Amino acid sequence: MAWSTPMTAVSGTTFSASQFNQFIRDNLNETMPAKAANVSGYFVSTSSTNIVQRQTQSAIVTTAQSTSSTSYTDLGTFGPQVSTATGSRALVIITAQIRNDTQNAFSHMSYAVSGATTESAVTDQDKKRLSISASIDDFPVIRHSAFTLQDLNPGTNTFTMKYRVNAGTATFDNREITVIPF
Amino acid sequence: MAWSTPITAVANAAFTAAQFNASVRDNLNATAPGRASAAGQMFFVSGANQITGRAPVGGYVQGTGSFTTTGTWLDMPGTFGPQVTVTTGARVMVIVSAQLRNEDNNWSWMGYAISGATNSSAVTYKSVAIQSGPGFHPTVRYSNAYMEMSLNPGSHTFTAKYRIDGGTGAIGQRTLIVIPM
């Protein structure tokens, strides 16, 4: 049963079993401890007076692999990829070590969304991606993260890392994606 | 007392003090207001039908330290840390930030080690890093966020660690943020 606004007691009136069930039992069953199921889960609201447990998901591929594709693609080892239930937003964090063998060439890492939401890696890439340009051939190499507050359709969404360059050949190492769903 | 499934009241049946204490008092005490113990806490699941308040912690060291090739993870000479201690569940987000430079075409790294209920050494894929090239030695400030997914719940100490793979590296403005879940 859903949450309902607790009644206001009136002095001298009977407190019935149905009132107890509605305002005490059913409302307590809508609180966090009643819904707590998975260690390290946390709670967000899904609508007025309704909360749900969510869990952060993360995956990493530690294999260094390369591409010279100028459109977003997979690497030899797919991913990383995570799936999780979300509301209308999630914080997506992507991290990697990136290098490009060609001076002034850009290397980009973004992510695609599938499931309840369909969004390619190129959509809103300027907001989502982790990028670096090579100042000289092969350098610098930097390990760091990019953060995106992603709009979604509520439901189960899958987040998959994708890769591309605008020139040269890029190598991506220790590639990680973390999704904190709201 | 722990959470228990609230009773279903029956018309005309007595509602006892024991039932009130179990279904109302103890269950209300298991909700977020009953569990909140300090300002700034968020609430996470610590077991079936159990929540716990946890607050992010962070440390910062302003000074820039430099040292030469080690190839191994060390404390920063002269300015230890940052270091934070916090009680966590199984999952934690760790964010490291630093201004990094390497003078000699090699890597400078900032990562972290964990001690306490779980022990793990610093590793590259949990770190922020830069590798400079011939004649190209930028100084940049970056961040790396890593999600620890399988800690043993309990008290943990997170200590910043540093590594230079070649030449001389300088690392400053060092931040360590831990978000326990």
Side-chain angles (χ1 to χ4, degrees), chain A residues 21 41 56 95 99 141-143, chain B residues 9 45 91 125 131 142 144:
Chain A
N21 292 336
T56 298
T95 305
R99 73 164 68 229
V141 185
I142 294 176
R143 177 170 182 77
Chain B
V45 176
R91 298 182 185 185
Y125 60 83
Q131 183 186 27
Y142 288 121
N144 180 55

Side-chain angles (χ1 to χ4, degrees), chain A residues 15-18 20-21 24-26 28-43 53 55-58 60 62 91 93 95-97 99 132 135-145 147 174 176 178 180, chain B residues 3 5-11 15 23-24 27-28 30-32 43-51 89-91 93 95 107 109 124-134 136 138 140 142-147 149 153 181:
Chain A
F15 180 49
S16 69
S18 63
F20 177 94
N21 292 336
I24 304 297
R25 181 197 67 185
D26 293 347
L28 282 174
N29 281 332
E30 290 299 314
T31 63
M32 292 183 193
K35 298 187 173 188
N38 305 102
V39 173
S40 296
Y42 55 93
F43 289 87
Q53 183 203 269
Q55 278 194 297
T56 298
Q57 299 295 338
S58 186
I60 187 169
T62 57
L91 180 64
I93 305 169
T95 305
Q97 281 156 236
R99 73 164 68 229
I132 187 171
S135 298
I136 57 175
D137 292 357
D138 278 324
F139 295 99
V141 185
I142 294 176
R143 177 170 182 77
H144 62 302
S145 304
F147 302 78
N174 291 325
E176 182 188 4
T178 296
I180 302 175
Chain B
W3 171 274
T5 303
I7 67 168
T8 296
V10 176
F15 180 44
S23 290
V24 181
N27 282 348
L28 285 175
T31 63
F43 293 87
F44 296 92
V45 176
S46 51
N49 303 120
Q50 184 175 356
I51 61 171
R91 298 182 185 185
M93 170 155 287
I95 303 171
W107 287 94
W109 304 83
T124 57
Y125 60 83
K126 300 181 185 180
S127 306
V128 63
I130 188 170
Q131 183 186 27
S132 61
F136 179 74
V140 292
Y142 288 121
S143 297
N144 180 55
Y146 186 80
M147 193 72 203
M149 294 290 286
M181 301 181 180

Side-chain angles (χ1 to χ4, degrees), chain B residues 60-122:
Chain B
Y60 175 69
V61 176
Q62 169 72 24
T64 297
S66 63
F67 54 102
T68 56
T69 304
T70 64
T72 57
W73 295 94
L74 300 176
D75 297 321
M76 181 63 73
T79 53
F80 177 80
Q83 181 185 75
V84 296
T85 298
V86 65
T87 300
T88 83
R91 298 182 185 185
V92 170
M93 170 155 287
V94 184
I95 303 171
V96 294
S97 305
Q99 182 169 288
L100 301 157
R101 180 181 177 90
N102 190 289
E103 302 290 349
D104 297 283
N105 313 331
N106 219 307
W107 287 94
S108 297
W109 304 83
M110 176 185 171
Y112 62 91
I114 307 176
S115 58
T118 311
N119 293 289
S120 66
S121 302

Side-chain angles (χ1 to χ4, degrees), chain A residues 9-74:
Chain A
V10 176
S11 177
T13 62
T14 302
F15 180 49
S16 69
S18 63
Q19 288 172 323
F20 177 94
N21 292 336
Q22 179 179 2
F23 298 118
I24 304 297
R25 181 197 67 185
D26 293 347
N27 280 353
L28 282 174
N29 281 332
E30 290 299 314
T31 63
M32 292 183 193
K35 298 187 173 188
N38 305 102
V39 173
S40 296
Y42 55 93
F43 289 87
V44 299
S45 57
T46 57
S47 63
S48 176
T49 68
N50 189 53
I51 63 171
V52 65
Q53 183 203 269
R54 304 252 190 250
Q55 278 194 297
T56 298
Q57 299 295 338
S58 186
I60 187 169
V61 174
T62 57
T63 308
Q65 290 169 322
S66 302
T67 184
S68 56
S69 172
T70 56
S71 58
Y72 282 107
T73 187
D74 300 320

Side-chain angles (χ1 to χ4, degrees), chain A residues 67 70 98-108 131-140 164-170:
Chain A
T67 184
T70 56
I98 308 175
R99 73 164 68 229
N100 193 296
D101 68 357
T102 302
Q103 185 177 16
N104 297 323
F106 272 90
S107 309
H108 302 292
S131 300
I132 187 171
S133 69
S135 298
I136 57 175
D137 292 357
D138 278 324
F139 295 99
R164 76 171 179 89
V165 299
N166 75 336
T169 298

